[in-house]
Amino acid sequence: KLAGSGILCFVTPRNDDMSELDGVISQSKTVTFAEGAVVALDERLEMVCSGYSNITPWHSFREETEEQLLTRYEALIARLKDVRHSVFAFHVPPYGSGLDDAPELTADLRPKYAGNALVPVGSRSARKVIERYQPLLGLFGHIHECKATTRIGKTLCVNSGSMYEQGVLCGALIQIERGKIKSHILTTG
């Protein structure tokens, strides 16, 4: 349905995705493989993309230490023309942002406490580069149960959450005009 529609679709595999998926996405005629890329969204706005996460209890395919993530992010950001008018599309949300709250787990990967005991599990490196560079927008995922928006300095940060286990698609509609965010709303469908 995307062919000929004028709609751009960028896909970045996430921490749970095996590297074999990269080649499959790269061969698409309608979807752009965006891992490690700087992509132009319009004549002024660029987006940097990374699906890697900090270390998780599951030790999935695309996990790195905070130092490795910081190196990855800095290398991407260095390729931007105008970092203040850019989008950081990082799978893992910034640490302590309210976009990264998840249940604390025991050694056998069960919730440690009953009820609503949540702890921040995001990336300190993602937070560091957002605070340092203040991009226009930050798009995140990773923490499925944390559907929220927040600001870190001037940067609007969004985690649309996920309920794919229930067959529900979550998203965000963000309208950008003349280098500024005009509106944003989280969606569920």
Side-chain angles (χ1 to χ4, degrees):
K1 291 184 178 184
L2 288 176
S5 70
I7 296 172
L8 303 176
C9 181
F10 302 100
V11 174
T12 301
R14 59 194 171 83
N15 65 299
D16 288 338
D17 294 324
M18 296 179 287
S19 59
E20 291 81 4
L21 189 58
D22 298 5
V24 174
I25 298 168
S26 295
Q27 293 176 12
S28 174
K29 290 180 170 66
T30 56
V31 171
T32 300
F33 178 74
E35 174 58 46
V38 175
V39 295
L41 299 176
D42 64 21
E43 63 281 343
R44 182 176 183 189
L45 190 64
E46 294 178 304
M47 179 171 66
V48 292
C49 306
S50 178
Y52 283 76
S53 79
N54 51 339
I55 306 299
T56 73
W58 294 274
H59 304 288
S60 55
F61 302 103
R62 298 172 198 252
E63 294 184 15
E64 297 180 323
T65 66
E66 288 292 348
E67 294 78 22
Q68 290 169 314
L69 278 177
L70 185 58
T71 299
R72 178 180 296 281
Y73 295 158
E74 290 285 2
L76 282 168
I77 293 164
R79 294 168 42 205
L80 289 167
K81 294 176 192 164
D82 181 0
V83 72
R84 299 262 184 215
H85 291 97
S86 68
V87 177
F88 290 6
F90 299 153
H91 182 58
V92 64
Y95 181 85
S97 61
L99 304 179
D100 67 325
D101 293 338
E104 188 173 4
L105 301 177
T106 62
D108 62 350
L109 304 179
R110 295 174 187 249
K112 193 170 190 175
Y113 303 106
N116 207 14
L118 302 175
V119 295
V121 296
S123 168
R124 294 177 190 276
S125 297
R127 178 147 199 140
K128 185 180 279 187
V129 295
I130 291 166
E131 287 175 344
R132 180 181 301 152
Y133 296 107
Q134 292 289 285
L136 180 65
L137 177 63
L139 300 175
F140 308 97
H142 194 52
I143 309 302
H144 300 201
E145 55 272 81
C146 203
K147 180 178 182 174
T149 65
T150 193
R151 286 204 177 263
I152 296 177
K154 294 181 179 182
T155 303
L156 174 64
C157 296
V158 178
N159 182 347
S160 61
S162 173
M163 294 189 295
Y164 64 85
E165 298 92 350
Q166 293 85 15
V168 176
L169 179 64
C170 296
L173 293 174
I174 302 164
Q175 186 176 4
I176 300 172
E177 288 183 7
R178 296 184 193 102
K180 295 185 182 186
I181 296 173
K182 184 173 179 183
S183 65
H184 68 279
I185 187 169
L186 295 176
T187 63
T188 304

